[in-house]
Every structure is written in C-alpha cells, then in structure tokens.
Amino acid sequence: MSSLKSDSEVRLNESPIDSDVSEENSALPTNQLVMDELAFNRSLLEQYKHAVDISSIVSKTDPYGVITYVNDQFCKVSGYSREELVGATHRLIRHPDNDPLLFREMWQTIRSRQSWQGVIKNQRKDGSAYYVDSLILPVLDPDGKIAEFMSIRTDVTDLIEQKSVIQRHYTDPLTGLPNRQKLTDDLAEMDEVTCLLIDVCDFSEINEYHGYQVGDRLLKALARMMSRLIRSDSVLYHLGGDQFAVLTRQSLSSNQLAYMCKELARRIAQYPVGVGELKFPISVVIGAACGANALIEADIALHSAQEKERTYEIYSPGSRLTKRIEDNISWVGRIRDAIRHDRIEVYVQPIIDALTGHVEKYECLMRLRDDEGNLHSPYAFLEAAKRARLYENLMQIVIYKAFRHFSERDDDFSINLTARDIYNSETVAMLLDKALEYGVAERLIIEIVESEGIENYEKVLDFIDRAKKIGCRIAVDDFGSGYSNFEYLLKLDIDYIKVDGSLIKHLDSDTNTQMLSDMIVSFGRKMGAETVAEFVHSEEVKQTAIVLGFDYLQGYHTGKPMSLDEI
C-alpha cells in the first residue's frame, strides 16, 4: 500500500482557518468573530439611523396608528413637542384640505404589507401649512405580522409653493383657465397646432347694463360651458376680457377647421348662459389658423371676421390675409428699429379758442419716422404694435418726451389714453409720477379715447380720481363714434368733450349732424364741460362750429400737426 494520503483525505483533514487566515487570527475564538461582526453592523445601522434622523422627518406608530416615536425634525417642523405627539395619531397634524380618499387608499396599501408614497399637506401647531413627501413602511415581526409602521418624510413645502406660484402665473384668476402667458408658452413648444381665437359679441354692453359682477359670473359660466363643448384633445384658455382661445395639438384640414368653428359657434348660440335668474343669449366670432404662426394668424382672421360681420374666418396661405400678416410682421420690425434708434416722435396739433382764434392748447400725437425719413401716423402701425406687445413702450416714450418738452413751456397740452392704457397699472403709475416730477400736472389734459369702449368703469373712475387729485383735467375724445351715449358722459367726471370728426366733417351741410352737435354742446354746458370740434377742415365747417357754440376748434384748417421744435 502507498504511504501517501489521497487528495480527498488531505482535504478532509485540513482546516480552512489554517489555510486562509494568519496565525494571529486563527487564535481568536469563532464566537468572538461573530460578535465583532454584529457590533460592526450595529454601528453601521446606528450611523444610517443618525443620517436619516438629521435629514428626514421620522415617526413610528403601532399597528393602530398611535404614534410611538418621533425624531427631532418631526417636532421642529410640526411645532409640537415630543410629549404632545407620542400617544396621539397623525390626525393631530392632518390639514383639513386633504381628500379623505387619500388616507383611505394609504391605509389599504400599508395594511396589505406594502409601502405607500405620496405628498401630504400637514398643519403645524400654529395653523400654518406645510407639505411632506412621505414614505410609509410596514415593519413585520418574525411571524410576518405588522408590528409597527415607520414613516420617513421630506419637507417639500418650498417646491410646492414654487409650483403654486408658477401655476398662478399661468392661470386666469377669474375663470381658473390657463391664461395668455400659458397659451404663448404652449405654442412655443408645439410644431403641429390649431388655434381658435373666440371673441364674445357685445360683452361690454352686458357689463355696462348689468354691472361687472354679473359680467364676471357670465364669463365663468361661459368658460364652464365651452370647456364641455370643445374636443377632448383641445385646451381652452381665457385671454382676458371677452376673449377665449382653443388650442388643439394637431393641424386640422380646412374642412375639419370650418366644421369645428361652425359647430362651436352654433352650440354656444344654442344655449343661453344663465346668471342667477338672468339668461343671456351669447354669440361669438372666431378666427382660426394652423401652424407655427397660428396665434397671430388667428388674430388677423378674427379681426377680418369682425370687419365682415361673419361668424368665423379661417386663415389660409394665399388669401388676402397673408398680405396683412406680412404687413404686420414688417411693421413690427420697423417699430422695434424706430424704438432702438429713437425715431418715435411727438407731434402736436394746435387747439384754438373758437371766438378769439388764439392757440389755447396742444394735442400730442405719436409719429414713427422710418429709416428713410418718412413719417407715419399711428393708424399705420398701432395694431401691429399692440399685437407685438410694443404698444406700452410707445406710450411711455410719448409721455416722457411730451412731459420733458412742456416742462419748459407754459402751454396746456393733452395726451391720449385708451381704456387699455388705463387698465395698465405700469403706464398709469409712470404717467402720474412723471406729471408730478416734471411739474406739468396742472397743465395736462388726459384725453380718454371713447371709440375704444370702456368695460371696467370702476378702474377708469379710480384713474380719473387719482389724476384730478394731482391737478390734471379729463377730456373724452372721439365722442360721437361707435360706442357713444350721454350716459357715458354722466359716469365720468370730465372737463372737455371732443366731438368726433365723423360728425364734424359734414357739419356745414348735414342738418342731422348739426342737430346732434347742438345737443352735445348744450349738454356739455349743463354739465360744466367745454366742447371741442375736431376735424375742422374748411372755413365753412369752422364757421358752423362757431355758430353752434363750440368752445374750441381743432383740425387741419385751424392748425396742422407739427414737431415739438416747430411750436
């Protein structure tokens, strides 16, 4: 027999410790190694627990939801002491805004031995709210039964509040719908899109005769109705006032778009909108377009439909609307260039005393000088400026230049403001502040352009009150144009009535305009307002205006517009 051991015998007799560890380690008992490893793991667990405790809001409850442990962070965030929390339930910090279904779902999940995660709104001891992103874990005993629940939370209040601010920035406060800013941002992210701009007809009359509270309630009800009427793949926006928009995330064919516009307008007209006991039949005008420039093209289409008194119009390449788009884009470029190179100029037109013929005051007019030196009146570029959101810039330039010039003179002068300007708090603040700064408030006449229409009389009256307190006077411009009525004059505390050129230009030959002008002059005298005849373009018109008793005259026949340097 061989004296050598077999390989298997050698393996059975060798100790793994002898072969794998040093003599020093081999001297340690096996139990000691196990104890050291347990101590090491326990130390790790303590470090993990410490890390969680200082970075998270931690609590534990028994299987019935009674709090058995809270860490310092929990006490700090909630405002409650450990003694107040332990023994209570989480109802102590639950905010009443939470949906009860949220907690029903949570308990169903964790009682089925699954973890649950979600954001919960809580309430501090002082009543203020805070938000936590919560992870709730069931802890099981050796038999697999729930021994306790552990909750690890992260305070996300700042994130939620930032999100809320962003949401408010994108939300119309009246209707709760996405607003114009949201529409603009959504369009920037889309390639294929269809846009409808919807204008509510005669809404200003509802505001005027029933009050703004009824008008606001009507817009809310209309928003709810339209939300039900639009396609499921579309979004409804409220752009302010009486204008809405619908955005569909695809380009529709002409036939689809025509059907969509007709059907939407028909169904809106079919169902009167109720506000309390009042019922309002509503009609709308719609402008529609598809593609990258859908918003501006839909806006042009809307204005075209209004001019033609049609229910809707669709922009299509090759139509006459294309030319209007190109003109609009061209004007936007020229306006920006004129602002950049200080070519927005102020011209003035004299207003003379009807009896003496002396110049009594000047009306400031906006002009744009292009890069070739040609002068353009606002009729050519103002609509483009409004659509491109450059109008406010132009107004502020005119205000600044006019005030600076007349601060060095003794003349009275006027500035035109539309309802849009008055609704703009930045424009109003700038005008009133600069009027005081330049010392021109008592010589400043603010002409409110009547043809623009007024929807919010409260804001206009508040503005007039503020302007008069610093010494300004108020005129109604373009009286006698589309929106005019004598109730309008009674509502506003005015000093001058400027009668629109549409009445004055035929004053010498049209007996009807003579009768109406005579009525306006008489009405003005009774309410203590002086009258100005605009568009006096001939000696015959001038003499007729004098006979009718107008206080002042303005027009090319009595004085053409001139630059500030020419006064």
Side-chain angles (χ1 to χ4, degrees), residues 49 59 67 69 107 111 141 157 186 231 337-338 340 404 422 446 538:
K49 179 180 180 297
S59 67
I67 298 172
Y69 168 81
W107 278 106
R111 280 173 176 159
D141 64 17
T157 305
D186 287 348
R231 293 162 47 125
D337 187 65
R340 189 180 304 115
R404 184 180 62 183
I422 294 171
I446 299 168
S538 68

Short mmCIF file of all heavy atoms in Angstrom, two decimals, residues 49 59 67 69 107 111 141 157 186 231 337-338 340 404 422 446 538:
data_model
loop_
_atom_site.label_atom_id
_atom_site.label_comp_id
_atom_site.label_asym_id
_atom_site.label_seq_id
_atom_site.Cartn_x
_atom_site.Cartn_y
_atom_site.Cartn_z
N LYS A 49 -29.21 55.31 10.87
CA LYS A 49 -30.33 55.92 11.59
C LYS A 49 -30.06 57.39 11.88
O LYS A 49 -30.94 58.24 11.72
CB LYS A 49 -30.58 55.17 12.90
CG LYS A 49 -31.71 55.74 13.75
CD LYS A 49 -31.89 54.93 15.03
CE LYS A 49 -33.02 55.52 15.87
NZ LYS A 49 -32.74 56.88 16.30
N SER A 59 -41.22 59.19 11.97
CA SER A 59 -42.12 58.81 13.06
C SER A 59 -42.42 57.33 12.94
O SER A 59 -42.27 56.72 11.88
CB SER A 59 -43.42 59.62 13.01
OG SER A 59 -44.17 59.28 11.85
N ILE A 67 -48.93 57.10 17.60
CA ILE A 67 -47.52 57.45 17.47
C ILE A 67 -46.74 56.94 18.69
O ILE A 67 -47.10 57.20 19.83
CB ILE A 67 -47.35 58.97 17.34
CG1 ILE A 67 -48.06 59.49 16.07
CG2 ILE A 67 -45.88 59.37 17.29
CD1 ILE A 67 -48.11 61.00 15.95
N TYR A 69 -43.05 57.03 18.35
CA TYR A 69 -41.73 57.65 18.26
C TYR A 69 -41.77 58.78 17.24
O TYR A 69 -42.40 58.65 16.17
CB TYR A 69 -40.67 56.63 17.85
CG TYR A 69 -39.35 57.27 17.45
CD1 TYR A 69 -38.43 57.66 18.42
CD2 TYR A 69 -39.03 57.51 16.12
CE1 TYR A 69 -37.23 58.27 18.07
CE2 TYR A 69 -37.83 58.12 15.75
CZ TYR A 69 -36.94 58.50 16.74
OH TYR A 69 -35.76 59.11 16.38
N TRP A 107 -54.10 53.66 3.94
CA TRP A 107 -54.27 52.59 4.92
C TRP A 107 -54.51 51.24 4.26
O TRP A 107 -54.00 50.21 4.73
CB TRP A 107 -55.43 52.93 5.87
CG TRP A 107 -55.00 53.85 6.98
CD1 TRP A 107 -55.29 55.16 7.12
CD2 TRP A 107 -54.17 53.50 8.09
NE1 TRP A 107 -54.71 55.68 8.24
CE2 TRP A 107 -54.02 54.68 8.87
CE3 TRP A 107 -53.56 52.33 8.51
CZ2 TRP A 107 -53.26 54.71 10.05
CZ3 TRP A 107 -52.81 52.35 9.70
CH2 TRP A 107 -52.67 53.53 10.43
N ARG A 111 -51.71 48.34 5.15
CA ARG A 111 -52.25 47.18 5.87
C ARG A 111 -52.12 45.89 5.07
O ARG A 111 -52.20 44.80 5.62
CB ARG A 111 -53.71 47.44 6.25
CG ARG A 111 -53.84 48.31 7.49
CD ARG A 111 -55.26 48.71 7.76
NE ARG A 111 -55.38 49.47 9.01
CZ ARG A 111 -56.39 50.28 9.30
NH1 ARG A 111 -57.38 50.44 8.43
NH2 ARG A 111 -56.43 50.92 10.45
N ASP A 141 -43.06 41.48 12.22
CA ASP A 141 -42.40 40.67 13.25
C ASP A 141 -41.99 39.34 12.64
O ASP A 141 -42.27 39.07 11.46
CB ASP A 141 -43.31 40.50 14.47
CG ASP A 141 -44.59 39.71 14.15
OD1 ASP A 141 -44.63 39.04 13.09
OD2 ASP A 141 -45.54 39.77 14.96
N THR A 157 -42.23 71.78 1.12
CA THR A 157 -43.08 72.98 1.12
C THR A 157 -42.61 74.01 0.10
O THR A 157 -43.41 74.56 -0.65
CB THR A 157 -43.10 73.61 2.52
OG1 THR A 157 -43.50 72.63 3.48
CG2 THR A 157 -44.07 74.79 2.57
N ASP A 186 -47.19 77.46 -24.40
CA ASP A 186 -47.60 76.18 -25.01
C ASP A 186 -47.34 76.19 -26.51
O ASP A 186 -46.87 75.20 -27.08
CB ASP A 186 -49.07 75.89 -24.73
CG ASP A 186 -49.32 75.50 -23.28
OD1 ASP A 186 -48.33 75.23 -22.57
OD2 ASP A 186 -50.50 75.46 -22.87
N ARG A 231 -63.28 69.86 -28.20
CA ARG A 231 -62.79 68.49 -28.37
C ARG A 231 -61.97 68.04 -27.16
O ARG A 231 -61.37 68.85 -26.47
CB ARG A 231 -61.90 68.40 -29.62
CG ARG A 231 -62.63 68.63 -30.92
CD ARG A 231 -61.67 68.97 -32.05
NE ARG A 231 -60.51 68.09 -32.11
CZ ARG A 231 -60.14 67.41 -33.19
NH1 ARG A 231 -60.85 67.50 -34.31
NH2 ARG A 231 -59.06 66.67 -33.18
N ASP A 337 -37.11 98.83 -34.71
CA ASP A 337 -35.97 99.62 -35.19
C ASP A 337 -36.12 101.09 -34.81
O ASP A 337 -35.15 101.74 -34.42
CB ASP A 337 -35.89 99.48 -36.72
CG ASP A 337 -34.63 100.13 -37.29
OD1 ASP A 337 -33.51 99.65 -36.97
OD2 ASP A 337 -34.76 101.12 -38.03
N ALA A 338 -37.36 101.61 -34.88
CA ALA A 338 -37.60 103.01 -34.53
C ALA A 338 -37.37 103.24 -33.04
O ALA A 338 -36.82 104.29 -32.64
CB ALA A 338 -39.01 103.42 -34.92
N ARG A 340 -35.35 101.48 -31.13
CA ARG A 340 -33.91 101.31 -30.89
C ARG A 340 -33.14 102.57 -31.29
O ARG A 340 -32.17 102.94 -30.63
CB ARG A 340 -33.41 100.10 -31.68
CG ARG A 340 -31.96 99.69 -31.36
CD ARG A 340 -31.55 98.48 -32.18
NE ARG A 340 -32.46 97.36 -31.98
CZ ARG A 340 -33.23 96.85 -32.94
NH1 ARG A 340 -33.22 97.36 -34.16
NH2 ARG A 340 -34.03 95.83 -32.69
N ARG A 404 -41.25 116.17 -20.92
CA ARG A 404 -39.95 116.85 -20.89
C ARG A 404 -40.03 118.17 -21.66
O ARG A 404 -39.50 119.20 -21.20
CB ARG A 404 -38.89 115.94 -21.49
CG ARG A 404 -37.47 116.53 -21.43
CD ARG A 404 -36.46 115.59 -22.03
NE ARG A 404 -36.74 115.34 -23.44
CZ ARG A 404 -36.05 114.50 -24.21
NH1 ARG A 404 -35.04 113.81 -23.69
NH2 ARG A 404 -36.36 114.33 -25.47
N ILE A 422 -55.30 102.73 -19.42
CA ILE A 422 -55.75 102.97 -18.06
C ILE A 422 -55.75 101.67 -17.25
O ILE A 422 -55.50 101.68 -16.05
CB ILE A 422 -57.15 103.63 -18.07
CG1 ILE A 422 -57.04 105.03 -18.69
CG2 ILE A 422 -57.75 103.70 -16.68
CD1 ILE A 422 -58.37 105.69 -18.96
N ILE A 446 -55.84 114.85 -19.99
CA ILE A 446 -55.80 113.44 -20.40
C ILE A 446 -57.04 113.15 -21.22
O ILE A 446 -58.17 113.24 -20.72
CB ILE A 446 -55.72 112.52 -19.17
CG1 ILE A 446 -54.46 112.81 -18.36
CG2 ILE A 446 -55.76 111.06 -19.59
CD1 ILE A 446 -54.43 112.17 -16.99
N SER A 538 -62.33 123.01 -43.09
CA SER A 538 -62.66 124.09 -44.03
C SER A 538 -63.21 125.28 -43.26
O SER A 538 -63.61 125.18 -42.10
CB SER A 538 -63.71 123.61 -45.05
OG SER A 538 -64.96 123.39 -44.42
#
